[in-house]
Amino acid sequence: MAFRHLAALWVQITGTLCNLQCVHCINASGPREPWLPPLDAETARRHITEAAALGVKEIYFTGGEPFMHPAIMPLLAFALERAPTTVLTNGTLITDATADALVALAAAARYSLEIRVSLDDPDRERNDAIRGRGAFERALRAIVRLNARGLLPILTATETEAAPGGDRYARLRALLLEAGVRKPRVKLLPLFPVGRAQGRGGGTVTREMLAAVDPARLQCSETRAAAAGGIYVCPILSGLPEARMDGATLADTLVPNRVDHPACLVCWQTGSSCRNA
Amino acid sequence: MTTLSEPRAFRRIAVFGGVYSNAHALAATLADVRRREVDAVFCLGDLGGCGPHPDRVFPLLRDAGVRAIQGNYDLAVAEGHTDCGCGYTDPRDNHFAHLSYAYTLARTATENRRWMAALPGHRRLRLGGLPALLCHGSPRAISEFLWESTTPDGLVARFLDDARAQLILCTHSGIKWHRRLADGRHLVNVGVIGRPENDGTTGVWYTLLTAESGGDLDVEFVPVAYDHEMLAKEMDAEGLPPEFAETVRTGWWTTCLEVLPGRERSQGRF
Ligand SMILES: [Fe+2]
C-alpha cells in the first residue's frame, strides 16, 4: 500500500500490559507477563517530537491500559503541546482524582484532549462476558465522571461478532443518554482477526483487490504505531514482527507497506479507521 | 482536480464558504460585501446542503461575479454520487444527510450541475505580497475537516510548505478560526454562511482579508444577519427535516455532531 501522509501516530505506551483480559483483544493484552513490554517515556517523547515535525495531525496513546504507565500524565501534557491527543482506555483507573487531572490538562492545552473509553455491548452481562466481571460498571462510571466535568468521552465499542449487529450504535447512544450523558459520542470498530481473535476471519487482500481500492480507504496509508521494538505499520498490528517497518527514524517508515495480514482484509472491506473520526 | 491562478495581485478580498442553499444569507452577505471595497469575492464551495430550493443560489453567485471552487457537496451533486461524501457513522446522521442530499440532487438543474462540475478544486492568488492557496477542506483532501482544536501548528506549517504559500484559506467544517504561526504565515478557516456556527446565535460569518503589498495580513470575520425565520419557514414548507430548521432558528447544531472534536462539541448545546 502506498503511503500518503502521516495523519496519526499511535503510541503503544504500556505495550500489552492491561488490568483486563478481554476475549477479543487485538493484541492479547493482560495483567500477567505482557508479550510486548511498555515503551519508556524517553522513546515515546522522541517519536512524538519527530511526528510533530513531520506534520502529524493526531497522537494516540494506547496499550494495554495507558493509565497503568507511571509517566502517562506528563506524557499526555508533552503530546498536547504538539498535537491533538487521544487516550484509549478501559476506564477502570479513571478515579475522581484522575478525572480532575485530565480536565485540568484539557483546559490548559492548545489542542483537543480526547478520552476513548472501551465498552463493547450495551447489555451489561454480554459486555462483561467479553471484558470481565465489573468492566461494564467501571467503564460507564468513568464516562459519567468525565462527562460530569465537561470532558466528553467517546464510548468505543468493538463489534463482538463477525456479523455486526445493525442497531448497536443506536443502543449504545441510548445507554449513554440513559446514564445522563447529554452529548453522547460513540465510535464503532470492527472485530479484527488478530491477537485473541486470531482465526476469526478468513482470507487476505489480493493484488487485484489492492489495485481496486482508493489508498485513502486504508488507514495504513496515513498511520504508524510506535511500540517496544520499533515502528509498526498500524495500531492493529502494532508489536507484531511481520508488521515492523524498517528504519531508524519515524520518517524512514513513511514508505509503502505490506497488507497481507488477515486483519488487512477487514480494513479493506470496512474502510474502517481507528482514528476518532 | 484543477487549480486556477489569478493573474493580478489583490489588496482586499471577501471569502466565504458553505452556502448550503441558503440564498437569504448569500444575498445578505453579498450586500454587505458591496459596501467593503473589495477587489474580488471568493466562495470556497458547498453550494448545496441542508437548505431549500438549491437552484436559487446560482444566479446570485454568477451575477455578483463570485469566483468559486468546488466543495465535496458540489462534486457529489455534479457527478450524481449516491451520497454527499461526508462519511458519517452514526445512522441518525446518515439518515439526515441522505434526506437533504437526495432533496438537493433531485432539485438542482442540469445547467447548475454542469457549472459546479467545471469549478476548479483549488485557486491560487496573491494578496498584497502574499501567495495564497484557496481550498475546500484542506489542501490535501476536499473532505478533511480543519477544526481549530485539532489542527496543530506543525500540520499548518506542513500545508504551507507544500503549497509554497504564506496563506491558506479553507472552509468545510462550519466554524471560523484563524491561526498565525510564529513565522508569520497564516491559515484561515473562513467559516460558512449557510448555517450558524453552533453558538446559539442565528447570524453567519464571512471573512475579509486585506494586505497592502509589503504589509502584514489583516483578517476580519464579518457577522451577517439575514431573515433566518423566512429560511426556516421555506425549509418546513419543503418538508426538510425539522431538525435542520431548528438549527436555523436557534443557532445550535442538532445533527451530524459526531465530526466535532471534544472541545468544539462541548461548546454547543447538543
Ligand atoms: Fe464541505
Side-chain angles (χ1 to χ4, degrees):
Chain A
M1 171 52 42
F3 193 83
R4 294 184 302 142
H5 53 253
L6 186 67
L9 175 71
W10 293 76
V11 182
Q12 200 179 344
I13 194 67
T14 44
T16 54
L17 179 65
C18 189
N19 57 343
L20 298 185
Q21 196 166 329
C22 306
V23 298
H24 62 357
C25 183
I26 56 161
N27 54 33
S29 289
R32 284 174 299 273
E33 292 166 33
W35 64 267
L36 189 69
L39 203 56
D40 65 280
E42 184 51 44
T43 306
R45 282 194 293 267
R46 179 163 52 82
H47 291 315
I48 291 166
T49 303
E50 192 189 352
L54 290 166
V56 78
K57 194 172 186 186
E58 299 168 329
I59 307 284
Y60 290 85
F61 283 86
T62 179
E65 168 51 47
F67 287 105
M68 291 177 82
H69 197 283
I72 186 64
M73 296 306 282
L75 278 171
L76 290 179
F78 182 88
L80 278 169
E81 284 169 23
R82 289 155 182 83
T85 301
T86 298
V87 196
L88 274 64
T89 174
N90 60 36
T92 58
L93 301 175
I94 299 183
T95 58
D96 280 319
T98 302
D100 287 341
L102 289 169
V103 168
L105 202 56
R110 286 189 63 195
Y111 307 117
S112 228
L113 169 65
E114 302 281 16
I115 312 294
R116 265 170 51 182
V117 180
S118 296
L119 192 157
D120 291 329
D121 200 299
D123 179 84
R124 181 187 310 255
E125 307 301 320
R126 289 175 53 150
N127 181 79
D128 287 0
I130 298 158
R131 304 188 61 83
R133 191 192 301 267
F136 181 93
E137 195 56 46
R138 291 198 283 172
L140 198 56
R141 204 181 302 148
I143 288 170
V144 169
R145 263 190 191 123
L146 292 166
N147 184 69
R149 289 162 172 82
L151 191 56
L152 311 176
I154 303 170
L155 185 161
T156 303
T158 298
E159 301 286 3
T160 47
E161 281 127 47
D167 64 345
R168 178 181 296 255
Y169 196 108
R171 291 197 299 137
L172 289 165
R173 195 170 175 275
L175 170 75
L176 291 173
L177 286 168
E178 206 171 297
V181 176
R182 288 194 53 230
K183 297 176 181 176
R185 304 173 80 198
V186 175
K187 162 87 183 169
L188 292 186
L189 283 169
L191 183 70
F192 287 94
V194 58
R196 284 196 197 99
Q198 190 145 14
R200 291 178 67 177
T204 49
V205 178
T206 64
R207 212 171 274 279
E208 296 72 43
M209 290 160 77
L210 193 56
V213 74
D214 176 359
R217 187 173 161 87
L218 297 186
Q219 62 171 328
C220 54
S221 74
E222 58 163 36
T223 197
R224 288 294 177 257
I231 305 289
Y232 298 85
V233 62
C234 75
I236 298 295
L237 303 179
S238 184
L240 298 179
E242 64 268 33
R244 190 178 177 281
M245 302 293 294
D246 290 329
T249 66
L250 181 56
D252 292 340
T253 70
L254 308 185
V255 295
N257 54 267
R258 291 162 52 176
V259 287
D260 52 3
H261 192 282
C264 304
L265 184 64
V266 176
C267 281
W268 188 89
Q269 287 166 336
T270 62
S272 178
S273 167
C274 298
R275 294 173 62 192
N276 297 339
Chain B
M1 279 231 151
T2 54
T3 300
L4 215 73
S5 291
E6 299 287 344
R8 70 184 180 97
F10 300 114
R11 189 186 75 88
R12 173 179 290 165
I13 58 173
V15 188
F16 58 84
V19 181
Y20 306 150
S21 302
N22 186 344
H24 300 284
L26 175 59
T29 299
L30 293 172
D32 191 283
V33 165
R34 262 176 233 121
R35 298 194 290 269
R36 305 281 183 162
E37 294 176 1
V38 302
D39 299 324
V41 186
F42 293 89
C43 171
L44 303 187
D46 282 355
L47 306 175
C50 36
H53 309 296
D55 275 341
R56 289 184 184 174
V57 303
F58 296 94
L60 296 174
L61 290 166
R62 283 188 210 119
D63 291 350
V66 174
R67 302 163 206 218
I69 63 175
Q70 208 173 49
N72 55 298
Y73 221 90
D74 312 321
L75 179 66
V77 172
E79 297 188 351
H81 295 175
T82 50
D83 66 53
C84 60
C86 302
Y88 300 116
T89 59
D90 182 345
R92 184 172 164 270
D93 287 350
N94 266 324
H95 169 72
F96 288 119
H98 268 290
L99 283 177
S100 54
Y101 180 73
Y103 170 89
T104 305
L105 183 61
R107 283 164 186 76
T108 305
T110 305
E111 68 159 314
N112 291 329
R113 289 175 64 188
R114 283 205 197 103
W115 189 78
M116 287 189 283
L119 292 176
H122 299 87
R123 283 177 184 266
R124 287 184 169 277
L125 56 85
R126 292 185 78 83
L127 188 62
L130 308 174
L133 176 72
L134 280 56
C135 61
H136 179 72
S138 79
R140 66 189 177 193
I142 195 170
S143 286
E144 179 169 16
F145 292 105
L146 295 183
W147 306 99
E148 184 167 22
S149 82
T150 52
T151 307
D153 283 357
L155 179 61
V156 173
R158 181 70 192 259
F159 283 152
L160 288 159
D161 289 346
D162 290 349
R164 290 192 200 83
Q166 296 283 317
L167 166 66
I168 288 172
L169 303 178
C170 65
T171 177
H172 182 59
S173 68
I175 303 180
K176 65 185 185 315
W177 57 279
H178 172 203
R179 179 82 48 81
R180 184 183 192 280
L181 297 182
D183 62 19
R185 295 183 293 172
H186 301 260
L187 184 143
V188 181
N189 187 320
V190 302
V192 298
I193 62 164
R195 68 167 178 173
E197 61 171 24
N198 202 24
D199 63 357
T201 65
T202 54
V204 295
W205 299 82
Y206 78 94
T207 305
L208 275 178
L209 299 114
T210 312
E212 312 291 345
S213 64
D216 196 14
L217 178 73
D218 181 67
V219 179
E220 185 190 352
F221 294 119
V222 183
V224 176
Y226 70 97
D227 193 345
H228 61 274
E229 191 50 47
M230 174 78 86
L231 178 78
K233 280 192 184 127
E234 289 173 6
M235 291 165 77
D236 293 341
E238 284 297 287
L240 288 162
E243 286 81 357
F244 292 172
E246 183 187 339
T247 296
V248 167
R249 287 190 171 102
T250 63
W252 297 114
W253 295 359
T254 51
T255 61
C256 304
L257 295 154
E258 66 176 282
V259 298
L260 281 169
R263 184 171 290 175
E264 280 82 355
R265 178 83 182 263
S266 68
Q267 287 157 4
R269 177 182 285 174
F270 299 106

